[in-house]
Amino acid sequence: MDLELAFFAVPTLAKGLWLTALLTASSVAIGFSIGLALAVMRLSKSKALSSFAKGYSTVFRGTPLLVQLFLFYYGLGQLSFVRDNPVLWWIIGDGAHCAVMALALNTAAYTSEILRGGLMSIPGGLVEAAQACGMSRLLRFRRITFPLAIRQALPAYGNELVLVVKGTSLASTITVLEITGHAKRLMSQTYAILEIFAIAGVLYLLINLVLITFVRLLEARLTSYLPR
Amino acid sequence: MALGFWQVWEGGWISAILRGAVITIALGMASMAFGIVIGVACGLIKWARVFPLTLVVDFYTSIVRGVPELLIIYLLFFSSVEFVAQVAAAFGYEGLAGNGYAFTIAVVAIAAISGAYSTEVVRGALAAIPNGHIEAARALGIPGRRIFRRIIAPQMLRIAVPGMNNVWQTTIKDTALVSVVGLQELMRAAFVGAGSTRNPFIFYFIAALVYLAITLVSQGGFDWIERLLRPRTRK
């Protein structure tokens, strides 16, 4: 590989690395909260709540993220009540904010399915025992249901995190210069396509490696009391 | 909103969107077909641990599954476009950047992506086949090729169907990404319509509905295949 090119390309792509990490972190934080709420709604006895959560996950999992992103960024930006509302315009008007919203709403749908599986795997006896001890609903959820569900769901959630990292690359289509955005620009400037791809690819693999290691460590910590 | 629909209908955009949808489905199916071929070959290699080849397959699947799809599409498209243009020029075709070329590259890219995911599905399905079945067949002196055809392949097929459903769903959604390199599929049709009528909301909304229809119908299809392949055991 051309050394001069590397000196030029690595710092540029590293600038994108920061934005990619930021996009990932914010959309995972928001998406997890919405996803948890949706999973609880899905399992609630109320027919309206559970069918809303089901419909949400069908729609967001059934359409490409790129379509969702374009619908929010170009589509909603066209509506006058969005333009006139300062809060909504703050979200939609800026590429990075809009990408975070699209990613968060998208990952929330997948997260809700993963967490639903975890919540359903909890033995009924455990919840009943907690109930018999006089724990309130919220306390039961905080101390019994949620920790057990999250442990069950962690491996699948690790995969979902990788998908979010890869999803952030779509932000480059709405003019956000994260890793892929910079990479595309460099590719068309330098024609060193394979080299740029290799550097950008390594950066993505690094982020994913860090995330997966983190999830593995968390999993080991949460299951440390189990016999090996 | 109602005005938007009327505009889409009047402008003849519905047929453009439907044509795009047909290309999307064709692209998805072609990529999935190649992806399954790649997946079965690589899955078998990974399962049987054929020494030097496993390393190559591991490298391929970990790169493709760890790097964004969009980046892979950019790599394949940008690195080939000049080469293909030169070849075309050598044969006397000027300015060949038509839909046929974009479709071919799109199939290569999406098949490479869906193949990597299929590999994992096939490997998982193979690993789920009880070892005793294969040992029993060996003990009966059934030749290796027939063991594969009669014992391994049918079970693998059945176990792999739910995983393949997931791969298909992501494959059909990944096809939207090739719109960025100009293939006239569903997403591109919506993009062009949105640009020329200055009404992006309605166009992307319709595109989302069409994608949703495709994924819902194929979900039904996979449910049907799963029922069809369910083992008929004694109750």
Side-chain angles (χ1 to χ4, degrees):
Chain A
M1 195 199 285
D2 196 348
L3 213 61
E4 210 174 316
L5 176 77
F7 276 126
F8 174 60
V10 171
T12 316
L13 291 174
K15 260 190 295 180
L17 177 72
W18 169 240
L19 195 53
T20 293
L22 200 65
L23 289 174
T24 308
S26 1
S27 40
V28 163
I30 303 169
F32 184 84
S33 321
I34 304 176
L36 181 62
L38 282 167
V40 173
M41 278 163 79
R42 182 82 183 266
L43 294 171
S44 85
K45 285 193 190 73
S46 154
K47 189 102 187 185
L49 285 182
S50 74
S51 45
F52 170 78
K54 181 149 196 242
Y56 180 93
S57 114
T58 308
V59 168
F60 276 90
R61 295 189 313 144
T63 53
L65 180 56
L66 189 67
V67 176
Q68 292 160 21
L69 192 63
F70 277 30
L71 185 60
F72 293 148
Y73 187 67
Y74 296 115
L76 292 183
Q78 181 197 1
L79 305 178
S80 58
F81 74 89
V82 176
R83 280 181 173 277
D84 296 340
N85 184 324
V87 178
L88 287 177
W89 185 243
W90 183 80
I91 299 174
I92 300 293
D94 182 86
H97 297 166
C98 189
V100 166
M101 183 185 76
L103 275 165
L105 292 179
N106 185 272
T107 187
Y110 289 91
T111 306
S112 79
E113 294 292 329
I114 293 167
L115 290 178
R116 183 172 69 102
L119 289 171
M120 287 197 311
S121 75
I122 290 158
L126 289 179
V127 181
E128 277 168 22
Q131 217 167 350
C133 288
M135 284 192 191
S136 75
R137 212 170 188 192
L138 205 64
L139 195 63
R140 229 153 55 212
F141 186 77
R142 213 179 66 214
R143 292 229 182 120
I144 314 288
T145 322
F146 182 68
L148 287 170
I150 201 77
R151 205 178 65 201
Q152 192 73 30
L154 255 184
Y157 194 62
N159 288 338
E160 176 55 26
L161 288 179
V162 172
L163 290 182
V164 176
V165 172
K166 296 204 291 175
T168 58
S169 73
L170 296 189
S172 66
T173 60
I174 53 169
T175 68
V176 179
L177 281 177
E178 34 66 82
I179 299 177
T180 306
H182 277 299
K184 193 196 169 198
R185 197 178 253 194
L186 284 176
M187 278 178 182
S188 44
Q189 275 170 6
T190 62
Y191 295 107
I193 287 137
L194 198 63
E195 288 88 338
I196 305 287
F197 173 82
I199 302 170
V202 165
L203 291 180
Y204 277 109
L205 291 176
L206 262 176
I207 301 186
N208 286 331
L209 198 70
V210 169
L211 273 179
I212 289 296
T213 314
F214 176 70
V215 169
R216 293 253 164 87
L217 286 177
L218 193 64
E219 204 184 323
R221 203 182 133 94
L222 288 176
T223 56
S224 55
Y225 66 92
L226 289 174
R228 295 203 177 260
Chain B
M1 187 80 170
L3 197 76
F5 266 119
W6 185 241
Q7 202 180 352
V8 174
W9 183 257
E10 280 278 86
W13 289 104
I14 291 292
S15 67
I17 286 174
L18 286 180
R19 221 176 308 133
V22 170
I23 293 179
T24 287
I25 294 170
L27 174 62
M29 283 183 161
S31 317
M32 190 68 190
F34 285 115
I36 288 177
V37 173
I38 297 171
V40 170
C42 294
L44 277 169
I45 288 169
K46 248 187 165 175
W47 176 65
R49 300 219 178 83
V50 189
F51 165 62
L53 291 178
T54 7
L55 293 179
V56 178
V57 172
D58 271 339
F59 183 73
Y60 158 63
T61 54
S62 32
I63 295 289
V64 170
R65 295 185 331 135
V67 168
E69 290 80 0
L70 195 59
L71 203 54
I72 295 169
I73 289 167
Y74 282 147
L75 168 78
L76 290 175
F77 192 81
F78 287 146
S79 64
S80 70
V81 71
E82 203 162 329
F83 172 74
V84 173
Q86 275 169 5
V87 171
F91 281 96
Y93 295 99
E94 283 303 326
L96 179 127
N99 229 2
Y101 163 65
F103 189 82
T104 314
I105 287 295
V107 169
V108 171
I110 309 277
I113 295 163
S114 104
Y117 287 93
S118 304
T119 302
E120 299 301 317
V121 171
V122 169
R123 187 182 59 96
L126 286 169
I129 298 172
N131 235 333
H133 289 200
I134 297 161
E135 280 165 17
R138 277 218 193 99
L140 289 171
I142 302 174
R145 191 175 279 233
R146 205 187 296 162
I147 294 182
F148 180 75
R149 214 180 55 221
R150 292 261 173 89
I151 290 155
I152 299 177
Q155 297 201 63
M156 175 185 89
L157 183 69
R158 195 181 69 225
I159 303 169
V161 166
M164 281 301 174
N165 182 11
N166 287 339
V167 176
W168 163 252
Q169 302 271 1
T170 44
T171 301
I172 202 79
K173 287 187 280 169
D174 281 346
T175 60
L177 298 181
V178 295
S179 65
V180 297
V181 292
L183 176 65
Q184 295 289 337
E185 40 70 84
L186 174 52
M187 185 64 192
R188 187 78 196 168
F191 187 81
V192 171
S196 73
T197 62
R198 289 164 190 255
N199 201 345
F201 185 81
I202 195 73
F203 274 95
Y204 294 128
F205 188 73
I206 293 174
L209 286 183
V210 177
Y211 277 109
L212 195 59
I214 295 174
T215 49
L216 285 180
V217 168
S218 42
Q219 180 65 48
F222 269 96
D223 287 346
W224 179 74
I225 294 174
E226 228 172 288
R227 269 202 306 280
L228 208 70
L229 292 176
R230 193 170 293 162
R232 293 169 190 81
T233 47
R234 272 183 300 174
K235 291 270 151 54

